[in-house]
Amino acid sequence: MLSVRIIPCLDVDAGRVVKGVKFQDLRDAGDPVDVAKAYQDQGADELVFLDITASSDARETIKDIVEATASQCFMPLTVGGGIRTVENIRDLLNAGADKVSLNTAALNNPNLIAEASGKFGNQCIVVAIDAKRDPERGGWRVYTHGGRKPTDWDAIDWARKAVELGAGEILLTSMDADGTKAGYDVELTRTLSDAVEVPVIASGGAGNLDHLVDVLKRGHASAVLAASIFHFGDYTVPEAKQYLAKHGIPVRL
Amino acid sequence: MQSSHSNRLLGVLDYGMGNLHSVRRAWETTGAKVQLLNDPSEVDRHDALIFPGQGAIVDTMQLLKARGWDHFIREWIQADKPFFGICLGMQALFEFSEEGDTPGLGIFPGRIRRFSFDPASRLKIPHMGWNPVNFGKPTPLATAGVDGSAFYFVHSYYCEPTDPSLIWGETTYGPLSFCSAIARGRVYATQFHPEKSQAKGLALYKGFVDSL
């Protein structure tokens, strides 16, 4: 049976992991390669690097990090953040990324999804959607620029469109839930997952292991992205998986 | 069994379908030497050929033909020389793929079909993630240490060999049990990605090199 995936996400700024990772026995908690290896040893199912580098001078560093990580970690690696063009995508895939995650650039130019998936295959194009409940219009509205700029898109409509254009997976972040540690937006995740054929990774709001159970069971997510609950050592990946297994969710132990 | 394989030379087909970094690094962990090969004229004293694949099969077939790899692979496999295909490198060995109605290399009878499920099942396509493989057929490549382990998959199409004796490994997705690996003689191919499957994947590659 196919397992659900547990995916730690590392924010990388100019080559360093930020939002501190606190593992015991980790030589350098700021080194993305060391952290990636530690998560591989824990049995994480995939990894995501989110490049939050603001300075364009430092943007090249993510490629070196991807290359170093791919040389030592034999697991799927997704890179997101600041990707604008087919050339950016090609560079990252050539450096050893398995998938790239597109967000603002895909909304500005939806054809980028079609172009990239046509060239490199749907399997390596993830479309990341940042969505927030819209009490006036109903449903959830899509935001760009790290959640700062509202768009006209409804999240469900945009997900359908992205998949039609060639997205192989959706990474869905609830802006309402993100950072609250109060749980994922299960309703958003379920509504969106049921609307598209491709897998949906739920993100934003994980505070404890019951939240993972909830979004996987009731939210119909195929995978969960989590940062702080793992980085700060609240739970290890094996602890999370054992907890899910106890609740009847298929995991790779 | 040898402890070191530094005298082994593997050739990885580099026909222009993208990044081979992970595949190369994964095979290097076996101790063997690994070379990327642009076209068949570069095949020399290689002990085995590795055929990685990703992307769309239409493009794969075009690129293979453009460099003369299609004939070369056919002859290599028909001579039962050691071969390991990965993902599209498994699918391309068959007669026909439903993906773009594309003829494959036709080395093995059978076709490549798209997953198709009742929408009520909520089974996702692509089949993406970790799923166990049951290796049901004894081969020179020892699978005792990895049988029943989960490997990493990402694909929307799967192989349906006409000859069931070709089936090496099987995997269950929803109501479907599909052929996730094939083996005949010294020729192996997997739908999953051993190079993305952490220790179990590397163990499978090591088993192949041990069997040479």
Side-chain angles (χ1 to χ4, degrees):
Chain A
M1 195 192 284
L2 181 67
S3 298
V4 303
R5 286 168 285 150
I6 304 247
I7 309 177
C9 175
L10 305 178
D11 286 1
V12 179
D13 185 1
R16 301 286 293 172
V17 177
V18 293
K19 281 207 245 173
V21 174
K22 291 175 188 159
F23 286 162
Q24 284 180 349
D25 307 326
L26 193 60
R27 201 157 41 91
D28 178 359
D31 178 3
V33 182
D34 278 2
V35 177
K37 279 198 310 208
Y39 274 124
Q40 168 165 266
D41 293 344
Q42 282 197 13
D45 297 308
E46 294 189 17
L47 278 179
V48 170
F49 283 164
L50 184 61
D51 184 16
I52 57 168
T53 308
S55 133
S56 54
D57 304 346
R59 292 215 61 96
E60 289 290 302
T61 52
I62 191 72
K63 277 194 277 178
D64 299 336
I65 291 163
V66 168
E67 205 163 300
T69 306
S71 296
Q72 299 182 54
C73 291
F74 297 98
M75 63 190 295
L77 175 64
T78 302
V79 181
I83 299 166
R84 310 238 177 283
T85 63
V86 167
E87 286 67 43
N88 294 157
I89 297 170
R90 180 183 292 117
D91 285 349
L92 288 166
L93 296 177
N94 281 342
D98 297 287
K99 315 182 212 180
V100 294
S101 159
L102 308 175
N103 191 334
T104 301
L107 282 151
N108 288 344
N109 170 23
N111 197 45
L112 179 64
I113 303 171
E115 217 183 316
S117 64
K119 274 208 166 66
F120 311 114
N122 298 24
Q123 82 289 340
C124 61
I125 305 301
V126 182
V127 169
I129 300 180
D130 294 339
K132 190 176 179 178
R133 273 177 198 275
D134 187 332
E136 283 166 33
R137 195 170 69 173
W140 297 265
R141 185 183 290 274
V142 178
Y143 283 67
T144 59
H145 298 85
R148 293 191 302 275
K149 280 175 73 172
T151 69
D152 287 336
W153 278 102
D154 170 77
I156 312 303
D157 290 343
W158 171 235
R160 283 203 179 102
K161 180 71 181 169
V163 171
E164 188 189 306
L165 288 167
E169 195 171 26
I170 301 285
L171 167 54
L172 174 64
T173 302
S174 159
M175 292 167 53
D176 302 297
D178 202 19
T180 64
K181 293 198 157 222
Y184 295 88
D185 186 335
V186 170
E187 192 191 349
L188 165 63
T189 310
R190 186 180 59 240
T191 308
L192 193 139
S193 181
D194 288 355
V196 294
E197 188 181 54
V198 305
V200 172
I201 307 169
S203 160
N208 62 47
L209 300 181
D210 283 318
H211 294 152
L212 307 189
V213 172
D214 245 18
V215 82
L216 289 163
K217 274 198 161 170
R218 294 195 300 118
H220 301 170
S222 298
V224 282
L225 192 82
S228 45
I229 66 164
F230 296 130
H231 295 342
F232 300 142
D234 298 353
Y235 305 99
T236 64
V237 174
E239 277 167 4
K241 287 187 170 185
Q242 270 148 20
Y243 194 81
L244 297 182
K246 217 173 69 188
H247 287 77
I249 296 171
V251 289
R252 178 181 65 110
L253 287 169
Chain B
M1 193 184 291
Q2 293 170 282
S3 59
S4 163
H5 293 301
S6 54
N7 56 337
R8 297 295 188 194
L9 180 61
L10 311 178
V12 176
L13 272 64
D14 184 3
Y15 51 98
M17 273 305 272
N19 167 55
L20 299 174
H21 188 78
S22 306
V23 170
R24 180 190 189 135
R25 284 287 300 120
W27 282 103
E28 280 172 351
T29 66
T30 67
K33 289 199 172 68
V34 181
Q35 267 182 0
L36 300 186
L37 305 169
N38 286 297
D39 66 70
S41 71
E42 294 177 11
V43 180
D44 183 14
R45 40 167 290 268
H46 297 88
D47 297 294
L49 282 191
I50 313 300
F51 179 24
Q54 60 192 23
I57 196 164
V58 187
D59 302 337
T60 297
M61 292 308 300
Q62 274 174 4
L63 288 165
L64 286 175
K65 283 178 190 161
R67 300 189 187 190
W69 279 118
D70 51 337
H71 296 296
F72 193 89
I73 294 171
R74 245 182 240 121
E75 283 165 20
W76 183 276
I77 290 180
Q78 271 149 14
D80 193 32
K81 292 185 185 173
F83 182 94
F84 203 108
I86 306 152
C87 193
L88 265 184
M90 172 181 179
Q91 297 186 2
L93 305 179
F94 286 87
E95 287 169 318
F96 178 81
S97 175
E98 285 182 4
E99 184 181 2
D101 289 333
T102 311
L105 293 168
I107 298 165
F108 299 118
R111 56 200 288 129
I112 311 305
R113 305 190 57 184
R114 191 174 198 273
F115 286 118
S116 170
F117 299 114
D118 178 354
S121 72
R122 295 201 319 264
L123 288 163
K124 294 298 189 177
I125 304 171
H127 170 232
M128 190 185 287
W130 299 78
N131 203 338
V133 176
N134 294 307
F135 292 94
K137 171 164 114 172
T139 60
L141 196 171
T143 50
V146 299
D147 188 23
S149 299
F151 290 85
Y152 189 80
F153 289 85
V154 49
H155 61 125
S156 301
Y157 295 80
Y158 64 99
C159 302
E160 211 175 57
T162 309
D163 175 6
S165 76
L166 193 61
I167 298 171
W168 179 30
E170 285 184 293
T171 295
T172 303
Y173 189 36
L176 179 74
S177 176
F178 69 94
C179 169
S180 53
I182 57 169
R184 194 189 70 188
R186 298 194 292 170
V187 174
Y188 303 87
T190 62
Q191 177 59 65
F192 52 89
H193 290 268
E195 74 282 1
K196 293 292 158 193
S197 301
Q198 299 177 352
K200 300 293 182 181
L202 300 182
L204 197 72
Y205 282 172
K206 178 76 164 45
F208 177 75
V209 176
D210 286 342
S211 77
L212 293 177

